Amino acid sequence: MTSDNRIGPPSCGSERETLRAFLDYHRATLAMKCEGLTDEELRQQSMPPSTLSLLGLVRHMAEVERAWFRRVFEDNDAPMVWSDKIDFQAAYDASASTRGEAFAAWEAEVENSRRIEREAESLDRAGYQPRWGEEVSLRMVMVHVLLEYGRHNGHADFLREGVDGTVGA
């Protein structure tokens, strides 16, 4: 990690501005954790039997973005990115993946998620979560995805330290 160019969330802001900013902050954190590493380093796994890697986290978060924004608000039947069924674990297998492939998919899903959020009239917009069989609000989706990033960025901290000793934000 050579630099920290993340934009922190506002100290005071509307609910929507705050959720949006925290999501983008955590998205930037994941990208920053991967900065400056080769494909091989990004595929480096944590410890047996885990297959978790930084590249696997990027792939997983592409699935999360798709499952919680695209599938909920646009196309309940949209296929997942790396599996024919709803299998979030499939994304963790980054053994044949590259930075280019994983980041292209993740960045495309992030941009789609941002568009969906921007176009929604309010955080009360309802979408249908097919895995749960019920409606959920945009507010709930943004909080859920934010929690996903928070948990997985914690994993990214340990993974990055294991790759090259880099610690910190």
Side-chain angles (χ1 to χ4, degrees):
M1 295 182 309
T2 56
S3 61
D4 185 350
N5 296 321
R6 297 173 300 166
I7 298 170
S11 299
C12 296
S14 72
E15 177 184 19
R16 191 168 193 166
E17 291 167 335
T18 302
L19 285 172
R20 181 185 294 153
F22 266 104
L23 258 176
D24 281 341
Y25 183 81
H26 275 281
R27 289 166 173 149
T29 298
L30 180 58
M32 187 178 77
K33 287 294 177 180
C34 298
E35 190 176 281
L37 297 177
T38 66
D39 284 1
E40 182 179 341
E41 290 169 324
L42 288 169
R43 287 189 297 264
Q44 188 173 316
Q45 297 174 353
S46 59
M47 69 179 99
S50 175
T51 60
L52 193 60
S53 68
L54 286 165
L55 207 53
L57 285 177
V58 171
R59 288 166 48 103
H60 174 72
M61 292 312 299
E63 297 284 37
V64 167
E65 295 270 0
R66 178 172 287 198
W68 283 99
F69 285 94
R70 184 185 305 263
R71 287 179 50 92
V72 167
F73 296 107
E74 288 188 333
D75 180 0
N76 296 148
D77 297 320
M80 298 302 285
V81 183
W82 284 284
S83 69
D84 294 333
K85 54 185 180 168
I86 308 300
D87 179 8
F88 287 92
Q89 297 303 310
Y92 287 128
D93 180 8
S95 57
S97 187
T98 65
R99 171 192 292 275
E101 173 235 12
F103 272 83
W106 177 60
E107 290 166 355
E109 291 305 322
V110 166
E111 285 309 309
N112 192 61
S113 298
R114 286 178 176 141
R115 179 189 54 75
I116 290 168
E117 183 272 321
R118 277 192 316 268
E119 291 176 357
E121 288 186 26
S122 81
L123 293 175
D124 293 325
R125 176 181 177 192
Y128 181 76
Q129 176 44 275
R131 291 181 322 158
W132 293 0
E134 65 182 64
E135 286 194 347
V136 294
S137 70
L138 177 58
R139 176 184 295 101
M140 183 272 164
V141 166
M142 291 179 77
V143 169
H144 182 86
V145 173
L146 179 58
L147 292 173
E148 285 273 340
Y149 274 103
R151 177 173 62 243
H152 293 308
N153 280 340
H155 298 141
D157 286 339
F158 289 118
L159 288 163
R160 180 63 190 251
E161 185 177 7
V163 170
D164 67 358
T166 299
V167 295

Tab-separated table of all heavy atoms in Angstrom, residues 23-45:
chain	number	residue	atom	x	y	z
A	23	LEU	N	-19.947	3.242	2.609
A	23	LEU	CA	-19.788	2.165	1.630
A	23	LEU	C	-18.604	2.444	0.717
A	23	LEU	O	-17.766	1.563	0.487
A	23	LEU	CB	-21.062	2.022	0.798
A	23	LEU	CG	-21.992	0.881	1.165
A	23	LEU	CD1	-23.257	0.930	0.322
A	23	LEU	CD2	-21.322	-0.454	1.038
A	24	ASP	N	-18.516	3.648	0.180
A	24	ASP	CA	-17.403	3.975	-0.709
A	24	ASP	C	-16.062	3.938	0.021
A	24	ASP	O	-15.050	3.535	-0.555
A	24	ASP	CB	-17.629	5.329	-1.381
A	24	ASP	CG	-18.605	5.224	-2.545
A	24	ASP	OD1	-18.820	4.104	-3.059
A	24	ASP	OD2	-19.151	6.261	-2.949
A	25	TYR	N	-16.056	4.335	1.274
A	25	TYR	CA	-14.833	4.272	2.082
A	25	TYR	C	-14.370	2.820	2.225
A	25	TYR	O	-13.190	2.512	2.058
A	25	TYR	CB	-15.097	4.895	3.450
A	25	TYR	CG	-13.893	4.950	4.350
A	25	TYR	CD1	-12.949	5.961	4.211
A	25	TYR	CD2	-13.698	4.005	5.344
A	25	TYR	CE1	-11.840	6.032	5.036
A	25	TYR	CE2	-12.595	4.067	6.177
A	25	TYR	CZ	-11.674	5.076	6.026
A	25	TYR	OH	-10.576	5.134	6.843
A	26	HIS	N	-15.307	1.929	2.498
A	26	HIS	CA	-14.931	0.518	2.651
A	26	HIS	C	-14.575	-0.124	1.315
A	26	HIS	O	-13.694	-0.984	1.262
A	26	HIS	CB	-16.027	-0.257	3.369
A	26	HIS	CG	-15.907	-0.157	4.852
A	26	HIS	ND1	-15.008	-0.898	5.577
A	26	HIS	CD2	-16.544	0.637	5.738
A	26	HIS	CE1	-15.109	-0.590	6.850
A	26	HIS	NE2	-16.029	0.350	6.980
A	27	ARG	N	-15.231	0.291	0.245
A	27	ARG	CA	-14.837	-0.199	-1.084
A	27	ARG	C	-13.395	0.227	-1.379
A	27	ARG	O	-12.588	-0.566	-1.864
A	27	ARG	CB	-15.785	0.336	-2.144
A	27	ARG	CG	-17.180	-0.276	-2.101
A	27	ARG	CD	-18.164	0.509	-2.930
A	27	ARG	NE	-19.463	-0.142	-3.038
A	27	ARG	CZ	-20.606	0.517	-3.158
A	27	ARG	NH1	-20.617	1.850	-3.214
A	27	ARG	NH2	-21.745	-0.146	-3.246
A	28	ALA	N	-13.087	1.473	-1.084
A	28	ALA	CA	-11.726	1.987	-1.308
A	28	ALA	C	-10.711	1.280	-0.417
A	28	ALA	O	-9.560	1.083	-0.808
A	28	ALA	CB	-11.690	3.498	-1.072
A	29	THR	N	-11.134	0.892	0.783
A	29	THR	CA	-10.235	0.179	1.691
A	29	THR	C	-9.843	-1.167	1.104
A	29	THR	O	-8.664	-1.545	1.125
A	29	THR	CB	-10.897	-0.010	3.072
A	29	THR	OG1	-11.157	1.287	3.636
A	29	THR	CG2	-10.009	-0.810	4.014
A	30	LEU	N	-10.811	-1.900	0.556
A	30	LEU	CA	-10.487	-3.194	-0.052
A	30	LEU	C	-9.521	-3.010	-1.213
A	30	LEU	O	-8.527	-3.742	-1.323
A	30	LEU	CB	-11.764	-3.904	-0.514
A	30	LEU	CG	-11.558	-5.269	-1.162
A	30	LEU	CD1	-10.847	-6.234	-0.219
A	30	LEU	CD2	-12.905	-5.834	-1.612
A	31	ALA	N	-9.769	-2.029	-2.059
A	31	ALA	CA	-8.859	-1.775	-3.181
A	31	ALA	C	-7.469	-1.413	-2.681
A	31	ALA	O	-6.458	-1.877	-3.228
A	31	ALA	CB	-9.420	-0.660	-4.067
A	32	MET	N	-7.407	-0.592	-1.630
A	32	MET	CA	-6.124	-0.171	-1.082
A	32	MET	C	-5.339	-1.360	-0.529
A	32	MET	O	-4.116	-1.432	-0.682
A	32	MET	CB	-6.350	0.869	0.020
A	32	MET	CG	-5.085	1.489	0.543
A	32	MET	SD	-5.425	2.747	1.802
A	32	MET	CE	-5.801	1.713	3.205
A	33	LYS	N	-6.031	-2.310	0.087
A	33	LYS	CA	-5.363	-3.493	0.642
A	33	LYS	C	-4.711	-4.333	-0.450
A	33	LYS	O	-3.782	-5.088	-0.183
A	33	LYS	CB	-6.354	-4.347	1.435
A	33	LYS	CG	-6.743	-3.758	2.760
A	33	LYS	CD	-5.548	-3.719	3.676
A	33	LYS	CE	-5.872	-3.073	5.005
A	33	LYS	NZ	-4.700	-3.053	5.880
A	34	CYS	N	-5.196	-4.210	-1.672
A	34	CYS	CA	-4.671	-4.988	-2.790
A	34	CYS	C	-3.624	-4.221	-3.600
A	34	CYS	O	-2.973	-4.797	-4.483
A	34	CYS	CB	-5.813	-5.407	-3.709
A	34	CYS	SG	-7.035	-6.471	-2.912
A	35	GLU	N	-3.472	-2.955	-3.303
A	35	GLU	CA	-2.591	-2.077	-4.069
A	35	GLU	C	-1.141	-2.563	-4.045
A	35	GLU	O	-0.612	-2.951	-3.009
A	35	GLU	CB	-2.671	-0.674	-3.458
A	35	GLU	CG	-2.002	0.412	-4.254
A	35	GLU	CD	-2.238	1.762	-3.582
A	35	GLU	OE1	-3.338	2.311	-3.764
A	35	GLU	OE2	-1.327	2.238	-2.886
A	36	GLY	N	-0.516	-2.533	-5.214
A	36	GLY	CA	0.911	-2.818	-5.316
A	36	GLY	C	1.290	-4.292	-5.279
A	36	GLY	O	2.478	-4.611	-5.247
A	37	LEU	N	0.323	-5.188	-5.296
A	37	LEU	CA	0.628	-6.617	-5.236
A	37	LEU	C	0.477	-7.255	-6.614
A	37	LEU	O	-0.344	-6.839	-7.418
A	37	LEU	CB	-0.307	-7.323	-4.244
A	37	LEU	CG	-0.190	-6.883	-2.793
A	37	LEU	CD1	-1.228	-7.615	-1.931
A	37	LEU	CD2	1.208	-7.095	-2.246
A	38	THR	N	1.265	-8.273	-6.845
A	38	THR	CA	1.176	-9.033	-8.098
A	38	THR	C	-0.029	-9.977	-8.037
A	38	THR	O	-0.585	-10.222	-6.958
A	38	THR	CB	2.445	-9.879	-8.312
A	38	THR	OG1	2.498	-10.882	-7.271
A	38	THR	CG2	3.703	-9.022	-8.286
A	39	ASP	N	-0.390	-10.537	-9.173
A	39	ASP	CA	-1.470	-11.522	-9.200
A	39	ASP	C	-1.165	-12.675	-8.252
A	39	ASP	O	-2.037	-13.142	-7.519
A	39	ASP	CB	-1.687	-12.060	-10.611
A	39	ASP	CG	-2.411	-11.081	-11.521
A	39	ASP	OD1	-2.739	-9.960	-11.082
A	39	ASP	OD2	-2.641	-11.448	-12.690
A	40	GLU	N	0.077	-13.138	-8.288
A	40	GLU	CA	0.474	-14.254	-7.417
A	40	GLU	C	0.307	-13.879	-5.943
A	40	GLU	O	-0.207	-14.675	-5.141
A	40	GLU	CB	1.919	-14.661	-7.700
A	40	GLU	CG	2.376	-15.849	-6.868
A	40	GLU	CD	3.807	-16.261	-7.175
A	40	GLU	OE1	4.334	-15.904	-8.249
A	40	GLU	OE2	4.394	-16.941	-6.322
A	41	GLU	N	0.725	-12.679	-5.571
A	41	GLU	CA	0.581	-12.249	-4.176
A	41	GLU	C	-0.895	-12.099	-3.804
A	41	GLU	O	-1.290	-12.446	-2.689
A	41	GLU	CB	1.318	-10.933	-3.951
A	41	GLU	CG	2.826	-11.078	-3.993
A	41	GLU	CD	3.566	-9.754	-4.026
A	41	GLU	OE1	3.059	-8.805	-4.670
A	41	GLU	OE2	4.640	-9.672	-3.402
A	42	LEU	N	-1.699	-11.602	-4.727
A	42	LEU	CA	-3.137	-11.452	-4.463
A	42	LEU	C	-3.831	-12.800	-4.299
A	42	LEU	O	-4.852	-12.896	-3.618
A	42	LEU	CB	-3.809	-10.664	-5.591
A	42	LEU	CG	-3.493	-9.177	-5.637
A	42	LEU	CD1	-3.982	-8.570	-6.942
A	42	LEU	CD2	-4.098	-8.462	-4.438
A	43	ARG	N	-3.275	-13.844	-4.913
A	43	ARG	CA	-3.842	-15.195	-4.789
A	43	ARG	C	-3.308	-15.948	-3.576
A	43	ARG	O	-3.789	-17.035	-3.263
A	43	ARG	CB	-3.553	-16.011	-6.050
A	43	ARG	CG	-4.370	-15.615	-7.247
A	43	ARG	CD	-4.203	-16.605	-8.397
A	43	ARG	NE	-2.844	-16.666	-8.892
A	43	ARG	CZ	-2.392	-15.980	-9.950
A	43	ARG	NH1	-3.209	-15.186	-10.616
A	43	ARG	NH2	-1.145	-16.095	-10.331
A	44	GLN	N	-2.320	-15.384	-2.884
A	44	GLN	CA	-1.714	-16.070	-1.738
A	44	GLN	C	-2.768	-16.347	-0.669
A	44	GLN	O	-3.458	-15.436	-0.222
A	44	GLN	CB	-0.573	-15.227	-1.155
A	44	GLN	CG	0.228	-15.936	-0.100
A	44	GLN	CD	1.442	-15.114	0.314
A	44	GLN	OE1	2.148	-14.553	-0.523
A	44	GLN	NE2	1.685	-15.045	1.610
A	45	GLN	N	-2.854	-17.611	-0.269
A	45	GLN	CA	-3.879	-18.021	0.696
A	45	GLN	C	-3.386	-17.835	2.121
A	45	GLN	O	-2.188	-17.837	2.391
A	45	GLN	CB	-4.273	-19.467	0.439
A	45	GLN	CG	-4.909	-19.625	-0.934
A	45	GLN	CD	-5.181	-21.060	-1.299
A	45	GLN	OE1	-4.797	-21.982	-0.599
A	45	GLN	NE2	-5.854	-21.253	-2.418
